[in-house]
Amino acid sequence: MTEPERPSLLTRLRGLLLDFDALIDSGLFSLGARTRRAFSAYAAFTERFNLTGVRRFAVGVASEGLTLGVAGAVAMLALALPAFRETSDDWLKRTELAVTFLDRYGNTIGERGVKQNDTIPLEDIPDNLIKATLATEDRRFYEHWGIDISGTMRALVSNARAGGVVQGGSSLSQQLAKNLFLSNERTFERKIKEAFLAIWLEARLTKSQILKLYLDRAYLGGGAYGVDAAARYYFGKSVKEVNLAEAAMMAGLFKAPSKYAPHVNLPAARARASTVLDNLVEAGFMTEGQVFGARRNPATPVDRRDDDVPDYYLDYAFGEVKKLVDQLPPSVVERNFIVRTGLDPNIQKVADAALESSLAEFGRDYKVKQGGIVVMEPNGTLRAMVGGRDYGDSQFNRATDALRQPGSSFKPYVYTVALMNGFKPSTIVQDAPICLGNWCPQNYGRSYMGSITLKTALQHSLNTVAVRLAERFGRKKIVDLAHQMGIRTPLPISAPLPLGAAEVTLFDATTAYSVFANGGKSVYPHAVVEMRIGNGDVIWRFDRDAPKPVQIIPQQALYDINDMLNNVVENGTGRRARLPNAKVAGKTGTTNSYRDAWFMGFTGNYVCGVWFGNDDYAVMNKMTGGTLPALTWQKVMAYAHQGIEIKPIPGVTTPIPKLDEAPATVNVPGLAETERPVTLSPRSAERLAGLERLLKEAETRFAAAPAAEPARPIPASSPAPATPMPVPVRRN
């Protein structure tokens, strides 16, 4: 009898797969049956707790609210976690950055940062000031745990009724958290961080400690941080001596120091102080009779109208100091610095007056309300900066932060690229209609000159030639050169790029033009010339620690573009910027619809950029760069070039042309109208700084030297000491 044939491997594999499939099917069926039985049992169990009517609705709402509340708390905690990284173990002992600024001659010009004054205990601060602060900022300060729920709801209702923000909802603890750890940005994320940090502060500090920190750290305008600094700045006295009227005015500054600062707007400050007195009565801290005297005799601050503080300049310099401090080695723990800047106070005064006089005289005709001025030396040292018409009205720095289209003042980068790639000023180019797709740029006068030289094309600021050059050499080369020269903003590569369609800042544009005056070498723009710590040690100096310049523009191309830009001023659109004693090179700029007007110019001594426009981008009345900007540039530079050695522009050798009329001048109170004090040259300033360092070192060595022994009396029989020989004096 033969053995049955064994199934093949494939047959057995199929059988195994069928068995596995059956196992899965039966398992899933069993799992489903058990799940149904378990769910039925759970439903039968929960049926015992079934609610109906109002109770069911209330429990449902509560459970949903609890679920959403837990989810919201987790989400808010996740958003707040980054803020807690700022709360290191030594946050309470951490010293804030404080800087005293000097001008180029060593005179103090202002301060920035927080100079903490913890020497005045809370009990020595007048009770009137504490009550006025609490009545205005946080009446329930001693009752809440960091967040005043009822106060927040009351503020929301008041703001909703008024249709705007009329009452703040942040507690004093929240405001302190913002001052210590956060910025002033108005975002939902910041409010969440602020709330969590306020609770965190309440858990670690007493109410008195929180109140003391708030009074010491809050910014109260005029560069003053803390109530003692504010009392000294506004009233010339210690905070211990302020009366009720002065306390009310100071308490009114916490909300908006720039708006209610008495040295900026005294009527607004007194109106705000009256509101604070109302708050004192409403909160029950004082009676109407107690505040009556303060109403009848409001506070009178110290007159600071003659304080010429270059606030826009100092704001920029302080930002620069912050960046430099972040780059210092960890061994430098000092937070108080003395910084010598490049500010020339006389040029700064003239620049401020020039902008104001131009706007006051021509602003209505041209429909322009704002402007900016930046003055540098060719090596990038910032000599003056005007960021707007009135710092008290607006702290926005239009010189460094406003992004505006430069118009034709961008064209020198285009022409420089052409000169760097084989073109000459005498190269023939075509001024004729051109279209790139649907875009057909036209010249300002809507006419064409045909075959002309490159120099003539820049003199007349012809748009079609700039576009043709960009098409030939590539817009990327233009963008790369502009960035190498100092333009830091993105420059999108687009068809209108060569006509100045991309946005830049006035500060960056002035930096880029400084390369032309600096022999084609890169420029490191800087307000800070030298930084010292409290003991006098120099920790940063521009000539020692700043990046070294590198050649960007070849010499021949530089000479050619400078000669062409000089021709623009002498024979082209920039004639109003000519000076009687110095050669000038530069370029005008006007954007479409007359929203921006520029003049960027330089001599061998200074580089200056001037911009006019409106903050809301409103159209001006046909203002071009060759009108008010060039005239204002001339006002500033005519003064700046008095009493100094005039340096030539690299590559410009033609004689200075005679002006048809004298340059415009500005009248600055306390400053001679036509005469500028003799100015130290950069080399003399460096030698003076070196002498100062030597004197400082000698003083330190003398202090460290051991005390000399007292002179011994000379016996009567001893001969008289010989008369010392005179020491010859070397005279330079």
Side-chain angles (χ1 to χ4, degrees), residues 672-706:
E673 183 174 348
T674 57
E675 289 188 18
R676 182 185 178 196
V678 177
T679 304
L680 290 176
S681 66
R683 177 175 295 183
S684 299
E686 291 175 4
R687 290 181 176 177
L688 185 61
L691 179 60
E692 182 183 359
R693 287 192 293 270
L694 290 174
L695 291 174
K696 187 69 177 180
E697 292 173 2
E699 180 182 354
T700 303
R701 292 177 181 177
F702 179 78

Side-chain angles (χ1 to χ4, degrees), residues 112 309-319 343 348 352 355 370-371 373 382 384-401 527:
R112 285 293 186 273
V309 180
D311 287 305
Y312 288 115
Y313 189 105
L314 292 180
D315 285 350
Y316 173 79
F318 187 53
L343 178 79
Q348 179 67 50
D352 286 327
L355 182 70
Q370 278 296 350
I373 301 174
L382 186 63
M385 174 183 287
V386 184
R389 189 172 187 177
D390 186 351
Y391 184 86
D393 182 59
S394 170
Q395 289 78 54
F396 178 69
N397 194 331
R398 294 155 189 84
T400 59
D401 300 328

Side-chain angles (χ1 to χ4, degrees), residues 130-442:
I130 294 177
K131 288 181 177 179
T133 301
L134 295 179
T136 304
E137 298 299 316
D138 191 355
R139 298 180 188 180
R140 291 168 39 84
F141 172 67
Y142 286 100
E143 301 173 19
H144 61 68
W145 37 270
I147 301 176
D148 186 5
I149 303 297
S150 62
T152 301
M153 297 303 297
R154 182 175 61 252
L156 290 175
V157 172
S158 300
N159 295 337
R161 289 177 177 175
V165 180
V166 296
Q167 186 175 345
S170 297
S171 68
L172 192 144
S173 302
Q174 287 176 272
Q175 295 180 53
L176 177 61
K178 180 190 69 175
N179 293 340
L180 291 176
F181 307 114
L182 304 174
S183 65
N184 290 323
E185 60 178 349
R186 294 187 176 183
T187 62
F188 181 68
E189 181 180 357
R190 194 217 77 189
K191 294 297 292 184
I192 293 175
K193 293 178 180 179
E194 182 182 287
F196 274 95
L197 288 171
I199 299 173
W200 184 86
L201 285 172
E202 291 274 351
R204 282 161 174 76
L205 302 176
T206 65
K207 288 289 187 180
S208 296
Q209 289 175 320
I210 292 175
L211 178 59
K212 179 65 165 59
L213 276 174
Y214 180 76
L215 295 174
D216 284 343
R217 303 290 183 90
Y219 179 64
L220 297 175
Y225 286 83
V227 291
D228 186 62
R232 295 182 185 279
Y233 181 79
Y234 293 121
F235 306 114
K237 62 176 70 172
S238 169
V239 69
K240 301 177 184 179
E241 304 170 0
V242 298
N243 56 37
L244 177 58
E246 294 164 345
M249 185 171 286
M250 290 174 58
L253 295 172
F254 290 104
K255 179 179 180 180
S258 61
K259 181 179 180 181
Y260 298 117
H263 71 297
V264 174
N265 191 338
L266 183 57
R270 285 179 169 170
R272 177 65 177 165
S274 179
T275 301
V276 172
L277 296 175
D278 292 339
N279 294 336
L280 280 167
V281 176
E282 292 175 7
F285 294 161
M286 288 188 176
T287 65
E288 184 61 42
Q290 289 175 305
V291 303
F292 179 75
R295 293 190 191 277
R296 288 288 302 273
N297 301 288
T300 301
V302 175
D303 187 1
R304 298 200 176 272
R305 289 174 295 180
D306 295 333
D307 291 356
D308 295 320
V309 180
D311 287 305
Y312 288 115
Y313 189 105
L314 292 180
D315 285 350
Y316 173 79
F318 187 53
E320 187 178 325
V321 170
K322 289 180 179 178
K323 295 177 182 178
L324 292 175
V325 169
D326 291 339
Q327 299 171 8
L328 294 176
S331 58
V332 180
V333 297
E334 181 74 31
R335 302 292 290 175
N336 293 328
F337 299 96
I338 300 174
V339 173
R340 185 192 296 272
T341 68
L343 178 79
D344 189 311
N346 295 321
I347 295 180
Q348 179 67 50
K349 292 177 182 178
V350 171
D352 286 327
L355 182 70
E356 175 58 32
S357 65
S358 294
L359 289 173
E361 187 175 358
F362 301 105
R364 180 174 297 181
D365 295 337
Y366 281 115
K367 296 182 180 178
V368 58
K369 297 180 180 178
Q370 278 296 350
I373 301 174
V374 174
V375 181
M376 289 182 181
E377 285 196 354
N379 68 349
T381 304
L382 186 63
R383 291 302 183 203
M385 174 183 287
V386 184
R389 189 172 187 177
D390 186 351
Y391 184 86
D393 182 59
S394 170
Q395 289 78 54
F396 178 69
N397 194 331
R398 294 155 189 84
T400 59
D401 300 328
L403 292 173
R404 311 294 296 220
Q405 292 184 350
S408 294
S409 66
F410 189 83
K411 290 176 182 175
Y413 313 125
V414 181
Y415 282 77
T416 302
V417 168
L419 294 170
M420 292 170 63
N421 286 273
F423 271 36
K424 302 294 182 184
S426 59
T427 300
I428 301 299
V429 293
Q430 292 296 319
D431 176 28
I434 182 175
C435 288
L436 302 179
N438 296 326
W439 182 60
C440 300
Q442 295 180 329

Side-chain angles (χ1 to χ4, degrees), residues 68-110:
L68 294 175
V70 171
V74 171
M76 288 191 295
L77 183 59
L79 291 173
L81 282 176
F84 286 100
R85 298 191 184 102
E86 299 290 335
T87 58
S88 57
D89 294 337
D90 61 343
W91 67 271
L92 192 57
K93 299 179 181 178
R94 183 174 56 194
T95 304
E96 298 293 337
L97 184 65
V99 184
T100 299
F101 288 101
L102 314 177
D103 63 17
R104 64 178 300 192
Y105 306 113
N107 302 311
T108 301
I109 53 175

Side-chain angles (χ1 to χ4, degrees), residues 556-585:
Q556 188 56 53
L558 174 75
Y559 288 175
D560 290 341
I561 189 64
N562 283 354
D563 179 68
M564 293 166 62
L565 291 173
N566 171 244
N567 183 57
V568 170
V569 174
E570 294 186 1
N571 303 302
T573 57
R575 289 176 59 83
R576 284 188 175 90
R578 293 180 300 168
L579 297 176
N581 60 341
K583 298 286 287 185
V584 178

